Amino acid sequence: MGYGAPMPDADALFDALHRSAAPAAAIAVAALVRNGSDAALARINALGFAAEHGLDEEQAIAALLHAARLGLFEMSWNILCPSCCGVLDANTTLRSVRQQDYHCAFCALTSEPNLDDTVEVSFAVSPRVRRISGHDPDRLSFWDYHRQVFFGSGVVFPEGEAFDELSREATLEALELQPGEKAILSLTVPAYPIIIFDAVSHEAHVIDIAGAAANARQEQAVVFSGVRGQVGRSSLAPGPLRLSLDNRTERRILPGVFVARPELEGLIGHRRPFLTAKRLLSNQTFRDLYRTETLDVEQRLKILSLTFLFTDLKGSTQLYGRVGDLVAYDLVRAHFQILSEIVASEAGAVVKTIGDAVMATFPAPHRAVAAALRMRAAMRQLNQRRGAQDLVLKIGIHEGPCLAVNLNDRQDYFGQTVNIASRVQELATGDSIIATDTVVNHADAARVLTDHGVAATPWEVSIRDVEGVRVFAMA
């Protein structure tokens, strides 16, 4: 089947998308599927997509998620090398992400995955909607394969003549070898390290260059055997080289002879923000659409920094006795709706409700602080409209590392950070907001407080069973 226009039945999916996503975002998604280049549809960066179309990031992410749920796109959870941003493993779900170390042959670097910055979520158009060249990776050219398959969506390649010039300087040779095929190259090695790397099999051979220039031709043989992450190493002098490459895998490979010089950094070293797994797990639309499908029961995936916000209604038991069950139920339900809308608008997600309490997560402290201030203001306004002080919201915020887990058939979080956040909320009195030092000392959170004219005052009080954490009250 050839590449090109969307399938005829795609219009029905676009109509469904318009009913579920923000209008501007839905229009942009439909236009991308209809008119986007093959490269643009191979690995969509949600944040880049939002910026390019002038969209709110949360609305753009939500539209892409709805599109994926409808079958317009396929999501990929990509494990990235923290150095080169190469995709070390691509997974259709987060359930498939392994917890052990990953090895980047290109950088000769081993790293442990974390959801903060080494697991990205990208989107590709479904082959059932529109067929693109990226659906047939074994037919992609050398650089198209690197752009669309190997490197993550955060890598920004130069364009036009700048790319041509840098790629010439950064590579001595780039070729294609079919299964069982061999090639012999005659090269002149400069005084820079050489990386012979195949992005298909993820194998590499590093040649360290040292000493005076060689007069006689040197020999080097590299065998690609299909052992993912395998890295060989040797040392040569600058000068003439006869390089033998042997493809012993069962696939076509694309070995390149890269020169570790500044031009290589200029070629692949530019970055842009991308949608991380951490951010997506704290996205309300994602939690609503995918619910229990995220993590396996045995998975424990590390998050280096996540902000937790806990709320609780003060005196909710007395509220039921004072105004009656029906009125109290309506008030509590209205309070949940207000809080949920505020959380979602600040790029957060409600993890669960416990009685009249809410547990929410945010990708950064300033988002949680902004949400907390809006929650308090909204409850005060609601009380003012009713002419009573029935809804008094206590709020606690803490930031730190945690584990993403599957608990009671839903995606949840575990660790001391969660415990501290809950206990910080227990300290709150009246409609106060209590936060820890890691929150109020965050630069963006401090700016939010300043913009709202709110002071964070140190409070000399201890957190139950926790030492070394200072708390602040936000007046």
Side-chain angles (χ1 to χ4, degrees):
M1 183 180 296
Y3 312 130
M7 308 299 182
D9 58 353
D11 287 340
L13 299 179
F14 294 145
D15 290 341
L17 179 62
H18 279 281
R19 292 192 294 270
S20 56
I27 290 170
V29 168
L32 177 64
V33 174
R34 288 189 174 106
N35 308 316
S37 66
D38 282 13
L41 289 164
R43 184 165 282 155
I44 300 166
N45 179 320
L47 306 188
F49 170 74
E52 289 163 12
H53 293 84
L55 301 171
D56 174 81
E57 285 186 353
E58 295 307 309
Q59 291 184 357
I61 293 168
L64 291 168
L65 288 170
H66 282 294
R69 200 62 170 166
L70 289 167
L72 284 163
F73 292 128
E74 296 176 342
M75 269 197 297
S76 182
W77 302 74
N78 306 319
I79 311 299
L80 304 180
C81 170
S83 177
C84 71
C85 215
V87 176
L88 308 182
D89 193 19
N91 304 273
T92 56
T93 69
L94 188 56
R95 291 174 183 267
S96 307
V97 174
R98 296 179 286 109
Q99 294 163 256
Q100 61 262 42
D101 291 347
Y102 287 80
H103 190 73
C104 177
F106 187 71
C107 300
L109 177 68
T110 298
S111 59
E112 180 184 6
N114 67 73
L115 303 186
D116 301 65
D117 48 29
T118 62
V119 182
E120 75 162 2
V121 183
S122 63
F123 299 81
V125 68
S126 168
R128 295 184 298 275
V129 174
R130 177 179 162 185
R131 191 117 191 125
I132 61 171
S133 56
H135 293 141
D136 300 303
D138 286 341
R139 297 171 62 181
L140 290 174
S141 67
F142 180 88
W143 282 116
D144 281 343
Y145 190 95
H146 284 77
R147 288 173 183 264
Q148 298 183 35
V149 179
F150 179 71
F151 284 108
S153 67
V155 175
V156 180
F157 283 88
E159 299 293 337
E161 293 182 1
F163 174 82
D164 294 339
E165 182 177 349
L166 286 171
S167 61
R168 281 195 300 269
E169 294 294 327
T171 55
L172 295 180
E173 190 63 77
L175 64 158
E176 172 182 324
L177 291 179
Q178 298 299 326
E181 190 175 3
K182 299 179 182 180
I184 297 176
L185 306 176
S186 294
L187 306 172
T188 300
V189 177
Y192 292 94
I194 301 298
I195 305 168
I196 304 161
F197 173 70
D198 169 48
V200 179
S201 66
H202 286 247
E203 295 177 82
H205 187 97
V206 179
I207 303 177
D208 296 311
I209 306 299
N215 294 321
R217 185 175 64 186
Q218 304 167 100
E219 302 278 343
Q220 178 67 59
V222 176
V223 175
F224 297 95
S225 56
V227 180
R228 195 176 183 88
Q230 178 173 263
V231 181
R233 202 164 202 116
S234 60
S235 181
L236 296 173
L241 170 66
R242 184 176 187 269
L243 178 63
S244 171
L245 303 177
D246 185 358
N247 179 13
R248 296 184 187 175
T249 76
E250 296 179 353
R251 292 187 60 183
R252 178 200 74 151
I253 64 172
L254 298 169
V257 183
F258 296 89
V259 185
R261 65 200 311 175
E263 288 80 2
L264 182 58
E265 178 68 17
L267 186 66
I268 64 173
H270 297 287
R271 301 287 184 266
R272 63 175 175 172
F274 56 84
L275 179 60
T276 64
K278 179 183 86 168
R279 180 164 179 179
L280 194 57
L281 292 184
S282 285
N283 177 277
Q284 193 64 56
T285 301
F286 176 76
R287 293 188 68 94
D288 291 344
L289 290 178
Y290 289 87
R291 297 185 182 275
T292 62
E293 301 176 26
T294 310
L295 291 164
D296 224 356
V297 174
E298 299 302 321
Q299 275 182 300
R300 308 288 188 270
L301 295 176
K302 182 183 294 185
I303 296 177
L304 301 179
S305 171
L306 193 64
T307 305
F308 291 86
L309 181 150
F310 280 81
T311 74
D312 195 14
L313 284 176
K314 180 182 179 182
S316 58
T317 302
Q318 292 84 345
L319 172 66
Y320 281 84
R322 188 168 62 252
V323 302
D325 288 349
L326 184 59
V327 174
Y329 174 76
D330 287 341
L331 282 173
V332 171
R333 187 175 63 175
H335 130 274
F336 276 136
Q337 182 176 351
I338 291 170
L339 266 54
S340 296
E341 290 174 355
I342 291 173
V343 168
S345 68
E346 292 293 344
V350 173
V351 178
K352 57 187 173 185
T353 59
I354 311 158
D356 297 330
V358 169
M359 172 186 173
T361 58
F362 297 84
H366 71 284
R367 292 288 201 172
V369 170
L373 295 173
R374 291 175 58 190
M375 289 174 180
R376 181 166 66 181
M379 290 302 102
R380 288 175 176 175
Q381 290 168 6
L382 183 58
N383 285 329
Q384 187 176 21
R385 288 197 300 270
R386 297 190 69 256
Q389 295 297 315
D390 292 327
L391 298 177
V392 179
L393 194 66
K394 304 188 299 177
I395 303 174
I397 310 172
H398 180 53
E399 174 272 339
C402 63
L403 295 176
V405 300
N406 186 314
L407 189 63
N408 298 324
D409 294 326
R410 65 182 171 190
Q411 192 255 308
D412 207 333
Y413 300 93
F414 179 82
Q416 182 71 332
T417 297
V418 184
N419 298 333
I420 292 173
S422 177
R423 290 172 187 175
V424 166
Q425 182 274 316
E426 293 172 1
L427 297 173
T429 59
D431 65 349
S432 60
I433 300 170
I434 308 299
T436 59
D437 48 357
T438 60
V439 173
V440 299
N441 291 334
H442 186 273
D444 290 336
R447 278 193 288 272
V448 170
L449 292 174
T450 300
D451 292 344
H452 285 78
V454 175
T457 306
W459 191 16
E460 297 303 325
V461 63
S462 60
I463 304 174
R464 177 168 52 91
D465 300 328
V466 177
E467 296 182 358
V469 178
R470 298 183 65 206
V471 297
F472 293 76
M474 300 180 189

